[in-house]
Amino acid sequence: MAAIFKFRVTIDHEDTIYREIEIQSNQHFHDFNRAIIEAFNITEYSLVTFLKSDNNWHEGQEIMQIKDNEIKKSIDGNIIKKPLSAFIYDPHQHFLCFIDAMVPLMMFIELLNIVPKKEGEFYPRKVKGVGEAPRPV
């Protein structure tokens, strides 16, 4: 049975605006992207880029780009088939996510913990939401 990764996704270091998302360890960044977009109610975006990050939020290697809900670029051809667990090297793994939308967003993603899967739950899922995401003016 797949473990569940619980991530906190924060907008631009704003501790007052974040979502906590649970996702199965065998799911993919494409699934994670959809969960983030839905959790923050982002209705229009052109490009999402995921990058590796260290514990100080320095940009690392680009993992993939998603445009119009399709993967357009990845660090290697097999990335699409790799589960999220293949990118977890630290118990508090960090990622960065740039969303090119009407209001461009930079997301800071931190693995909070690994929990057992709950029977009857569907993943990925938002388990907590704090604060309102920025809206276009």
Side-chain angles (χ1 to χ4, degrees), residues 10-36:
T10 305
I11 294 180
D12 294 322
H13 282 304
E14 285 286 336
D15 292 340
T16 59
I17 304 172
Y18 66 88
R19 305 293 183 262
E20 290 181 2
I21 296 172
E22 292 180 341
I23 185 168
Q24 294 182 84
S25 59
N26 61 357
Q27 289 182 291
H28 304 87
F29 268 100
H30 195 264
D31 302 309
F32 198 24
N33 172 64
R34 281 196 314 268
I36 292 169

Short mmCIF file of all heavy atoms in Angstrom, two decimals, residues 10-36:
data_model
loop_
_atom_site.label_atom_id
_atom_site.label_comp_id
_atom_site.label_asym_id
_atom_site.label_seq_id
_atom_site.Cartn_x
_atom_site.Cartn_y
_atom_site.Cartn_z
N THR A 10 2.89 26.88 0.35
CA THR A 10 2.77 28.26 0.81
C THR A 10 3.04 29.20 -0.35
O THR A 10 3.94 28.96 -1.15
CB THR A 10 3.79 28.53 1.93
OG1 THR A 10 3.61 27.55 2.97
CG2 THR A 10 3.62 29.91 2.53
N ILE A 11 2.29 30.30 -0.42
CA ILE A 11 2.50 31.29 -1.48
C ILE A 11 3.54 32.31 -1.03
O ILE A 11 3.37 32.95 0.01
CB ILE A 11 1.19 32.02 -1.83
CG1 ILE A 11 0.20 31.04 -2.45
CG2 ILE A 11 1.45 33.18 -2.78
CD1 ILE A 11 -1.12 31.66 -2.81
N ASP A 12 4.59 32.47 -1.82
CA ASP A 12 5.57 33.55 -1.62
C ASP A 12 5.96 33.79 -0.17
O ASP A 12 5.98 34.94 0.27
CB ASP A 12 5.05 34.86 -2.23
CG ASP A 12 4.92 34.79 -3.72
OD1 ASP A 12 5.78 34.18 -4.37
OD2 ASP A 12 3.96 35.37 -4.26
N HIS A 13 6.30 32.76 0.55
CA HIS A 13 6.71 32.89 1.96
C HIS A 13 5.65 33.52 2.84
O HIS A 13 5.95 34.03 3.91
CB HIS A 13 8.01 33.69 2.09
CG HIS A 13 9.23 32.91 1.74
ND1 HIS A 13 9.56 31.73 2.35
CD2 HIS A 13 10.21 33.15 0.85
CE1 HIS A 13 10.69 31.27 1.86
NE2 HIS A 13 11.10 32.12 0.93
N GLU A 14 4.41 33.58 2.39
CA GLU A 14 3.31 34.13 3.19
C GLU A 14 2.79 33.03 4.11
O GLU A 14 2.03 32.17 3.67
CB GLU A 14 2.18 34.63 2.28
CG GLU A 14 2.45 35.91 1.58
CD GLU A 14 2.38 37.11 2.51
OE1 GLU A 14 1.70 37.05 3.54
OE2 GLU A 14 3.03 38.11 2.18
N ASP A 15 3.20 33.06 5.35
CA ASP A 15 2.76 32.02 6.29
C ASP A 15 1.26 32.04 6.53
O ASP A 15 0.71 31.12 7.11
CB ASP A 15 3.48 32.19 7.62
CG ASP A 15 4.96 31.87 7.51
OD1 ASP A 15 5.35 31.18 6.55
OD2 ASP A 15 5.73 32.32 8.39
N THR A 16 0.61 33.11 6.09
CA THR A 16 -0.83 33.24 6.31
C THR A 16 -1.66 32.70 5.15
O THR A 16 -2.88 32.69 5.22
CB THR A 16 -1.20 34.71 6.57
OG1 THR A 16 -0.80 35.49 5.44
CG2 THR A 16 -0.53 35.24 7.83
N ILE A 17 -0.99 32.28 4.06
CA ILE A 17 -1.70 31.73 2.91
C ILE A 17 -1.04 30.40 2.53
O ILE A 17 0.05 30.37 1.96
CB ILE A 17 -1.67 32.68 1.69
CG1 ILE A 17 -2.23 34.05 2.06
CG2 ILE A 17 -2.45 32.07 0.53
CD1 ILE A 17 -2.06 35.09 0.96
N TYR A 18 -1.70 29.31 2.88
CA TYR A 18 -1.15 28.00 2.53
C TYR A 18 -2.25 26.95 2.44
O TYR A 18 -3.37 27.16 2.91
CB TYR A 18 -0.07 27.57 3.53
CG TYR A 18 -0.56 27.29 4.93
CD1 TYR A 18 -1.02 26.02 5.29
CD2 TYR A 18 -0.55 28.27 5.90
CE1 TYR A 18 -1.46 25.76 6.57
CE2 TYR A 18 -0.99 28.01 7.19
CZ TYR A 18 -1.44 26.75 7.52
OH TYR A 18 -1.89 26.49 8.79
N ARG A 19 -1.88 25.85 1.81
CA ARG A 19 -2.75 24.69 1.73
C ARG A 19 -1.93 23.47 2.13
O ARG A 19 -0.73 23.39 1.83
CB ARG A 19 -3.29 24.46 0.31
CG ARG A 19 -4.02 25.66 -0.29
CD ARG A 19 -5.32 25.97 0.41
NE ARG A 19 -6.03 27.08 -0.22
CZ ARG A 19 -5.99 28.33 0.20
NH1 ARG A 19 -5.26 28.67 1.25
NH2 ARG A 19 -6.66 29.28 -0.40
N GLU A 20 -2.58 22.53 2.79
CA GLU A 20 -1.94 21.25 3.07
C GLU A 20 -2.61 20.22 2.18
O GLU A 20 -3.84 20.14 2.13
CB GLU A 20 -2.04 20.90 4.55
CG GLU A 20 -1.17 21.81 5.39
CD GLU A 20 -1.20 21.52 6.88
OE1 GLU A 20 -1.88 20.56 7.32
OE2 GLU A 20 -0.53 22.27 7.62
N ILE A 21 -1.77 19.49 1.47
CA ILE A 21 -2.25 18.54 0.48
C ILE A 21 -1.65 17.17 0.77
O ILE A 21 -0.44 17.06 1.01
CB ILE A 21 -1.85 19.00 -0.94
CG1 ILE A 21 -2.57 20.32 -1.27
CG2 ILE A 21 -2.17 17.92 -1.98
CD1 ILE A 21 -2.11 20.96 -2.56
N GLU A 22 -2.50 16.17 0.75
CA GLU A 22 -2.03 14.79 0.88
C GLU A 22 -2.09 14.14 -0.49
O GLU A 22 -3.06 14.32 -1.24
CB GLU A 22 -2.90 14.01 1.87
CG GLU A 22 -2.74 14.48 3.30
CD GLU A 22 -3.59 13.70 4.28
OE1 GLU A 22 -4.58 13.03 3.85
OE2 GLU A 22 -3.28 13.75 5.47
N ILE A 23 -1.04 13.38 -0.79
CA ILE A 23 -0.94 12.70 -2.08
C ILE A 23 -0.24 11.37 -1.87
O ILE A 23 0.66 11.26 -1.02
CB ILE A 23 -0.21 13.59 -3.12
CG1 ILE A 23 -0.22 12.95 -4.51
CG2 ILE A 23 1.19 13.96 -2.65
CD1 ILE A 23 0.23 13.89 -5.63
N GLN A 24 -0.64 10.36 -2.60
CA GLN A 24 0.00 9.06 -2.48
C GLN A 24 1.43 9.11 -3.02
O GLN A 24 1.71 9.78 -4.01
CB GLN A 24 -0.79 8.00 -3.25
CG GLN A 24 -2.16 7.74 -2.66
CD GLN A 24 -2.89 6.66 -3.41
OE1 GLN A 24 -2.68 5.49 -3.13
NE2 GLN A 24 -3.73 7.05 -4.36
N SER A 25 2.30 8.38 -2.37
CA SER A 25 3.71 8.36 -2.76
C SER A 25 3.91 7.83 -4.17
O SER A 25 4.91 8.14 -4.81
CB SER A 25 4.53 7.53 -1.77
OG SER A 25 4.04 6.19 -1.72
N ASN A 26 2.96 7.05 -4.68
CA ASN A 26 3.10 6.50 -6.03
C ASN A 26 2.41 7.35 -7.10
O ASN A 26 2.38 6.98 -8.26
CB ASN A 26 2.60 5.05 -6.08
CG ASN A 26 1.13 4.92 -5.73
OD1 ASN A 26 0.46 5.89 -5.39
ND2 ASN A 26 0.63 3.70 -5.79
N GLN A 27 1.86 8.50 -6.70
CA GLN A 27 1.29 9.42 -7.68
C GLN A 27 2.41 10.30 -8.24
O GLN A 27 3.55 10.22 -7.79
CB GLN A 27 0.16 10.25 -7.06
CG GLN A 27 -1.08 9.39 -6.80
CD GLN A 27 -2.23 10.18 -6.22
OE1 GLN A 27 -2.16 10.62 -5.08
NE2 GLN A 27 -3.29 10.33 -7.00
N HIS A 28 2.08 11.13 -9.23
CA HIS A 28 3.09 11.87 -9.98
C HIS A 28 2.95 13.38 -9.82
O HIS A 28 1.94 13.86 -9.33
CB HIS A 28 2.99 11.48 -11.46
CG HIS A 28 3.12 10.01 -11.69
ND1 HIS A 28 2.04 9.17 -11.62
CD2 HIS A 28 4.20 9.24 -11.94
CE1 HIS A 28 2.44 7.92 -11.84
NE2 HIS A 28 3.75 7.94 -12.03
N PHE A 29 3.97 14.12 -10.30
CA PHE A 29 3.92 15.57 -10.24
C PHE A 29 2.72 16.13 -11.00
O PHE A 29 2.16 17.16 -10.64
CB PHE A 29 5.22 16.20 -10.77
CG PHE A 29 6.22 16.45 -9.69
CD1 PHE A 29 7.26 15.58 -9.49
CD2 PHE A 29 6.09 17.55 -8.84
CE1 PHE A 29 8.19 15.79 -8.48
CE2 PHE A 29 7.01 17.77 -7.82
CZ PHE A 29 8.06 16.89 -7.64
N HIS A 30 2.32 15.45 -12.05
CA HIS A 30 1.15 15.88 -12.81
C HIS A 30 -0.08 15.89 -11.90
O HIS A 30 -0.90 16.82 -11.92
CB HIS A 30 0.96 14.97 -14.01
CG HIS A 30 0.03 15.52 -15.03
ND1 HIS A 30 -1.29 15.16 -15.07
CD2 HIS A 30 0.21 16.41 -16.03
CE1 HIS A 30 -1.89 15.80 -16.07
NE2 HIS A 30 -0.99 16.57 -16.66
N ASP A 31 -0.23 14.85 -11.07
CA ASP A 31 -1.34 14.77 -10.11
C ASP A 31 -1.20 15.87 -9.05
O ASP A 31 -2.19 16.49 -8.66
CB ASP A 31 -1.34 13.41 -9.41
CG ASP A 31 -1.46 12.25 -10.37
OD1 ASP A 31 -2.38 12.27 -11.22
OD2 ASP A 31 -0.62 11.33 -10.30
N PHE A 32 0.03 16.08 -8.60
CA PHE A 32 0.30 17.09 -7.58
C PHE A 32 -0.04 18.49 -8.13
O PHE A 32 -0.63 19.31 -7.44
CB PHE A 32 1.77 17.00 -7.16
CG PHE A 32 2.10 17.68 -5.86
CD1 PHE A 32 1.14 17.89 -4.88
CD2 PHE A 32 3.39 18.08 -5.60
CE1 PHE A 32 1.47 18.50 -3.67
CE2 PHE A 32 3.73 18.69 -4.41
CZ PHE A 32 2.77 18.90 -3.44
N ASN A 33 0.31 18.72 -9.39
CA ASN A 33 0.00 19.99 -10.03
C ASN A 33 -1.51 20.25 -10.00
O ASN A 33 -1.95 21.33 -9.61
CB ASN A 33 0.52 19.99 -11.47
CG ASN A 33 0.07 21.21 -12.24
OD1 ASN A 33 0.42 22.33 -11.92
ND2 ASN A 33 -0.74 20.98 -13.27
N ARG A 34 -2.29 19.28 -10.40
CA ARG A 34 -3.75 19.44 -10.41
C ARG A 34 -4.28 19.74 -9.00
O ARG A 34 -5.16 20.57 -8.82
CB ARG A 34 -4.43 18.20 -10.98
CG ARG A 34 -4.40 18.14 -12.50
CD ARG A 34 -5.39 17.14 -13.06
NE ARG A 34 -5.40 15.84 -12.40
CZ ARG A 34 -4.68 14.80 -12.77
NH1 ARG A 34 -3.87 14.88 -13.80
NH2 ARG A 34 -4.76 13.66 -12.12
N ALA A 35 -3.71 19.06 -8.01
CA ALA A 35 -4.16 19.27 -6.63
C ALA A 35 -3.86 20.69 -6.16
O ALA A 35 -4.68 21.32 -5.49
CB ALA A 35 -3.50 18.25 -5.70
N ILE A 36 -2.68 21.21 -6.51
CA ILE A 36 -2.31 22.58 -6.12
C ILE A 36 -3.21 23.59 -6.81
O ILE A 36 -3.74 24.50 -6.18
CB ILE A 36 -0.82 22.84 -6.44
CG1 ILE A 36 0.07 22.00 -5.52
CG2 ILE A 36 -0.49 24.34 -6.31
CD1 ILE A 36 1.54 22.00 -5.93
#
